[in-house]
Amino acid sequence: MPQPALGAALFADHARESFERAVAANKGSVAEAARLFADCVAADGVIHAFGTGHSQAAALEIAGRAGGLVPTSRIALADLVLRGGEDPAVLADPLLERAPGLADRLYALATPRPQDLFVIISNSGVNNAVVDLALKVTGAGHPLVALTSLAHTHAVPALHTSGKRLAEIADAVLDNVAPTGDALLPLPDGAALCGVSTLTSSLLVQMVVAEAVALLLAEGHEPPVYVSANVPGGHERNAVLEARYAGRLHRGGH
């Protein structure tokens, strides 16, 4: 039996193609999400990002990174323990993100204000924690941006009792164009190798931030943007900006 083509160069080629498809597929969605980001920042709001599993990587791209917006907050399942008083044993459950009833706790721990925006990241977009929180925040009147794989979410059954998927609830939907199952390179046993959603999701996040900052500048606002804390004066500059949002910026338990 011939062996499938594998290797670093092949993955890089496929990843570049995925980047190009993500850019082409999301022109309108990036503009919509950027408008929501800019409106939130202009209204003294905070952008809350939530993802479980490897989707946490995209949440980290949004919240608290150099070159990113200061009024950003990361929601994590670890918040239940680190700020919510739960027994650490709850985090040992590999299916915790599928458990019902977490949304109310996570939403309360995020301490949102009415003008705040939520971004929820999930490749499949069907697990209970994700859909619960999406319904919670939209029900409370917050705008919602979803970052998901449309190919994956439409290929699997909806797990939430509402029958809804994340993409069906959001005001703007970013499609990371990852295939069902995420990985790009097929293996002989039918599995696949090398996930791409982290790469394309990060690309889309940075595109939205770039467009949102362009909107803010064009509309006469001074965008609060982080510089690296590892350059001279960076930490001090960032601290001044963060002080505007005292008590509102949570970074996944901290």
Side-chain angles (χ1 to χ4, degrees):
M1 177 182 295
Q3 294 297 306
L6 294 173
L10 183 64
F11 175 72
D13 286 343
H14 282 276
R16 277 191 288 267
E17 179 187 348
S18 296
F19 267 46
E20 292 170 359
R21 290 196 298 114
V23 171
N26 287 278
K27 289 181 179 178
S29 298
V30 165
E32 292 171 356
R35 181 72 269 169
L36 293 173
F37 272 48
D39 288 347
C40 176
V41 174
D44 192 37
V46 168
I47 300 163
H48 301 269
F50 174 62
T52 62
H54 281 86
S55 293
Q56 293 178 87
L60 284 166
E61 284 295 300
I62 293 171
R65 66 153 296 141
L69 291 164
V70 172
T72 50
S73 187
R74 185 167 69 92
I75 302 169
L77 294 178
D79 292 343
L80 298 170
V81 173
L82 297 174
R83 294 193 296 112
E86 294 280 353
D87 190 309
V90 303
L91 299 179
D93 182 359
L95 299 180
L96 179 59
E97 66 181 285
R98 298 187 182 184
L102 296 179
D104 288 345
R105 292 293 311 281
L106 293 173
Y107 180 82
L109 291 169
T111 62
R113 295 186 182 180
Q115 69 270 38
D116 289 359
L117 166 71
F118 283 76
V119 183
I120 300 181
I121 307 108
S122 171
N123 215 46
S124 70
V126 297
N127 287 331
N128 278 317
V130 166
V131 177
D132 269 344
L133 187 60
L135 292 171
K136 176 70 178 181
V137 303
T138 55
H142 301 284
L144 172 63
V145 175
L147 177 47
T148 189
S149 163
L150 291 180
H152 191 145
T153 200
H154 292 310
V156 295
L159 300 178
H160 194 266
T161 55
S162 68
K164 291 185 179 294
R165 296 169 172 82
L166 172 63
E168 298 164 346
I169 304 168
D171 299 286
V173 179
L174 299 166
D175 178 13
N176 66 27
V177 304
T180 304
D182 199 359
L184 289 181
L185 305 181
L187 292 170
D189 63 358
L193 183 70
C194 295
V196 74
S197 65
T198 302
L199 302 180
T200 51
S201 294
S202 296
L203 170 70
L204 291 171
V205 164
Q206 297 301 340
M207 289 175 66
V208 170
V209 170
E211 187 69 13
V213 169
L215 289 171
L216 288 165
L217 288 169
E219 292 163 7
H221 302 285
E222 183 177 348
V225 173
Y226 278 114
V227 299
S228 173
N230 296 312
V231 300
H235 175 75
E236 292 76 13
R237 178 185 183 279
N238 292 340
V240 170
L241 293 172
E242 287 182 332
R244 303 179 191 173
Y245 308 95
R248 301 173 65 193
L249 307 182
H250 310 297
R251 299 286 155 76
H254 300 291

